[in-house]
Amino acid sequence: IQFIEREEAIIYPLGYEPLVASKDAVIAYFEVESGKKLVKIDQYVNKGDILVTSEVIDSNGNVRHTYVRGKVYGYTQYYKEVNITVEHIEEYMKPLAFLKALLTLRNEIAKEIDQGEHIVTENILHFSLVKGTIVMKIQYTLYEDITRA
């Protein structure tokens, strides 16, 4: 006979509160277990819009409330900028300066996303190296859960 440790089940609180957009986005995917969707895929939503509600209509036409649980994923936009000061840089070191700035911004974005979320596009808007300062601006499109705070 072998004994194993018991694993506790994860119990999620159930509530009637709607799922609300925490940021502006374009809806990409629903992972909703219960509730009524009020928006569609590819629809643009603003921060504060109700995405999934507890109100459902039964077969008799009566409004009933059900628990709301799930996630809504969307495409969001972020603009990031980095300024890095360097002592002296030769012409042959400019690609390394570019890479350092790029990786610095990617690390910043990586801290903001959770598991299951990712970078969709990365557009470099500006890169310059003037008087010992590296400046880079990037626009990111992320696929993320827009219902988390």
Side-chain angles (χ1 to χ4, degrees):
I1 297 177
Q2 182 179 11
F3 292 97
I4 58 172
E5 263 191 66
R6 164 175 98 173
E7 292 184 20
E8 297 291 326
I10 299 172
I11 300 173
Y12 297 101
L14 297 175
Y16 296 109
E17 296 81 29
L19 294 180
V20 177
S22 62
K23 52 191 85 175
D24 295 350
V26 175
I27 303 297
Y29 180 73
F30 290 97
E31 195 175 282
V32 177
E33 294 178 27
S34 61
K36 180 184 175 188
K37 297 181 222 173
L38 299 179
V39 294
K40 297 179 179 1
I41 291 179
D42 292 331
Q43 181 177 338
Y44 182 81
V45 295
N46 293 308
K47 180 179 180 177
D49 287 353
I50 296 175
L51 308 174
V52 180
T53 183
S54 66
E55 294 180 357
V56 293
I57 299 173
D58 65 12
S59 59
N60 295 329
N62 299 322
V63 176
R64 303 272 184 197
H65 289 274
T66 183
Y67 293 111
V68 176
R69 189 160 145 208
K71 297 179 181 180
V72 180
Y73 290 89
Y75 298 110
T76 58
Q77 300 287 318
Y78 287 88
Y79 294 88
K80 293 287 184 180
E81 180 177 339
V82 68
N83 296 306
I84 301 172
T85 304
V86 290
E87 289 294 319
H88 180 72
I89 192 158
E90 298 291 334
E91 188 65 33
Y92 70 90
M93 296 176 73
K94 284 185 179 178
L96 293 176
F98 177 86
L99 184 61
K100 181 177 181 175
L102 183 64
L103 293 177
T104 301
L105 288 173
R106 282 188 187 171
N107 286 338
E108 281 184 30
I109 283 288
K111 291 176 187 173
E112 296 181 19
I113 59 178
D114 290 338
Q115 185 175 357
E117 303 174 344
H118 60 274
I119 297 171
V120 177
T121 62
E122 176 180 63
N123 298 318
I124 298 169
L125 304 175
H126 175 77
F127 174 75
S128 65
L129 181 55
V130 179
K131 296 182 184 177
T133 302
I134 302 166
V135 178
M136 181 179 273
K137 295 178 186 176
I138 298 182
Q139 173 200 22
Y140 288 98
T141 302
L142 301 182
Y143 174 85
E144 62 180 329
D145 177 9
I146 61 169
T147 59
R148 69 179 165 89

